[in-house]
Amino acid sequence: MRSYFAAGMYALVAGVILGVSGPLLLSADGAVGHAAHLVLSAGWSWAALAFCVGIISSSKRQSAVLGVLSLVAASLAYYLVKAGQGEFMAADLTDTTGQITHFDWAGLMTKVVVWWVFAALLGPLMGVAGNLARNGPYRLPCRLVIPFVAVVETTMRLKNEAPMLNDALVEATWSATRLVAVAVALGLVCLKVAEQRRRA
């Protein structure tokens, strides 16, 4: 059984890695880097983070706590990198030339706190789902949570955002993500059916 400390460190490290990867890959050259940025910055990837933390947790309570911890770390890391990239530089309104800027601490903290609220709400759900996907009586429905979230998110993005962006790479990335999510879901269902047949 993993200790709370070791599991907590895994959750923190995983959260920081996911949090910094998205914005760093945005500035990477080439289609692969941009596609990776789109995948790692998507909501379903962050849900998968808390879900995977739940898988390695030894109890439902631990999975709920560590689900929140991983998302809190990811959010903070994400926005610190964005701040380092100049995202939160604002014009100094007292400067008539418009050339002086200052760091917008209020803007940074507002975004961090908003996502911490989401982490507190969704982290326990995804963490417990991950734990039940390994240990619970409803393993298949829990294992289908992340593919389902990915399909819903990518479908919404393809319907609402893709026409406005008019970017072939973005559309291809979301379409491929949805296709993989559907394939994973079908694969999990087929494995469950095969397992039941073997038992029968």
Side-chain angles (χ1 to χ4, degrees):
M1 180 181 293
R2 289 184 172 85
S3 69
Y4 267 88
F5 178 77
M9 290 305 297
Y10 289 143
L12 283 173
V13 170
V16 169
I17 289 173
L18 178 64
V20 303
S21 297
L24 288 179
L25 287 168
L26 178 62
S27 58
D29 293 330
V32 174
H34 188 57
H37 156 73
L38 291 170
V39 170
L40 294 175
S41 298
W44 72 265
S45 294
W46 290 57
L49 167 66
F51 184 89
C52 291
V53 166
I55 290 175
I56 68 165
S57 299
S58 59
S59 67
K60 290 190 284 292
R61 180 178 178 180
Q62 185 186 58
S63 64
V65 172
L66 296 185
V68 174
L69 182 64
S70 65
L71 292 177
V72 165
S75 302
L76 182 59
Y78 179 88
Y79 282 110
L80 287 177
V81 173
K82 296 289 277 184
Q85 293 173 332
E87 174 92 5
F88 295 97
M89 297 305 296
D92 188 341
L93 299 179
T94 62
D95 174 37
T96 56
T97 65
Q99 296 178 350
I100 298 177
T101 59
H102 68 277
F103 189 79
D104 183 13
W105 285 102
L108 170 65
M109 291 312 300
T110 298
K111 295 215 170 184
V112 169
V113 170
V114 165
W115 286 107
W116 281 355
V117 170
F118 280 109
L121 295 173
L122 299 177
L125 295 176
M126 292 297 105
V128 171
N131 186 265
L132 293 176
R134 188 188 71 182
N135 300 316
Y138 305 106
R139 284 177 292 191
L140 179 60
C142 290
R143 290 174 181 177
L144 293 174
V145 166
I146 299 304
F148 175 76
V149 171
V151 169
V152 170
E153 181 183 6
T154 52
T155 299
M156 291 176 59
R157 287 181 180 271
L158 284 166
K159 180 181 179 181
N160 300 319
E161 294 181 34
M164 292 186 294
L165 294 173
N166 194 26
D167 188 322
L169 176 62
V170 171
E171 187 172 350
T173 301
W174 289 339
S175 297
T177 300
R178 182 171 63 178
L179 183 62
V180 170
V182 170
V184 168
L186 290 175
L188 289 169
V189 171
C190 290
L191 286 173
K192 182 65 174 178
V193 170
E195 180 184 346
Q196 288 179 334
R197 286 184 176 179
R198 283 197 302 269
R199 289 179 178 178

